[in-house]
Amino acid sequence: MDFVTQQWERERPDLDVSAMGIIGRVGRLYLAYQAEMQRTFQRFGLNAAKFDVLATLRRAGAPYELSPGDLLKATMVASGTMTNRIDRLEADGLVRRKVNPADSRSFLIALTEKGGALIDEALEAHVATQSGLLKGLKAEELDQFKDLLSKALISAGSD
């Protein structure tokens, strides 16, 4: 990124390209983080999308079930995308659809025993992967990084 910004500074000294260097680094950091987490998910036969649904159900607490609408709100994906994810997870035996006892016209998505065991195991590996990705930062630096990222998200209108 320094090379790119130095070139722009040389070619267009009238522009302040410092934001380009920061945003470029954030983008590269995102890709590096995603690649490493994807490797972790793959060890469990998952991808980020499947992990997201299983983790959302698991963190909802016992009995580890949510309506499709609640899953949509928690994961912020389109309805058709969520249906596809649920179908795949159901085919894998990781979730099941069950009639909603509060409204028999609707259903709930519930973790199966197999799905619960898998997400617990995958979650432990995921947390270890994420910790490893940040191991080069001291506790104080992590706090500063988190605060700066929060401010940047607010500045970008996406907190």
Side-chain angles (χ1 to χ4, degrees):
M1 286 309 316
D2 287 338
F3 179 70
V4 170
T5 56
Q6 287 167 1
Q7 286 180 317
W8 280 122
E9 288 166 351
R10 183 189 70 232
E11 293 299 314
R12 291 294 308 269
D14 58 311
L15 295 177
D16 177 3
V17 294
S18 56
M20 184 184 296
I22 293 168
I23 291 171
R25 282 180 178 86
V26 169
R28 290 178 68 181
L29 185 61
Y30 170 79
L31 293 174
Y33 286 172
Q34 289 300 311
E36 194 62 32
M37 290 187 297
Q38 204 58 254
R39 281 191 278 281
T40 300
F41 298 147
Q42 288 172 350
R43 288 183 11 223
F44 299 91
L46 299 172
N47 58 27
K50 288 181 175 183
F51 179 88
D52 190 28
V53 173
L54 295 174
T56 300
L57 289 168
R58 178 63 175 89
R59 73 174 184 263
Y64 312 114
E65 59 189 30
L66 292 170
S67 71
D70 287 337
L71 274 172
L72 283 172
K73 288 178 200 166
T75 59
M76 298 180 287
V77 298
S79 176
T81 300
M82 180 56 67
T83 299
N84 190 21
R85 289 181 183 182
I86 292 167
D87 289 346
R88 289 181 181 162
L89 288 165
E90 190 173 37
D92 293 342
L94 302 174
V95 302
R96 65 184 172 89
R97 288 176 169 93
K98 62 182 248 184
V99 174
N100 185 342
D103 180 1
S104 62
R105 296 170 297 161
S106 65
F107 57 93
L108 299 172
I109 308 305
L111 278 178
T112 62
E113 190 174 320
K114 177 182 174 184
L118 180 67
I119 191 57
D120 279 347
E121 189 179 357
L123 179 63
E124 289 177 21
H126 177 60
V127 169
T129 296
Q130 289 183 321
S131 293
L133 289 166
L134 298 173
K135 71 179 179 239
L137 299 174
K138 297 174 186 167
E140 181 180 308
E141 292 170 327
L142 287 170
D143 287 340
Q144 292 170 343
F145 191 41
K146 182 185 70 158
D147 290 344
L148 290 170
L149 288 171
S150 294
K151 285 181 182 179
L153 282 167
I154 289 167
S155 178
S158 180
D159 90 30

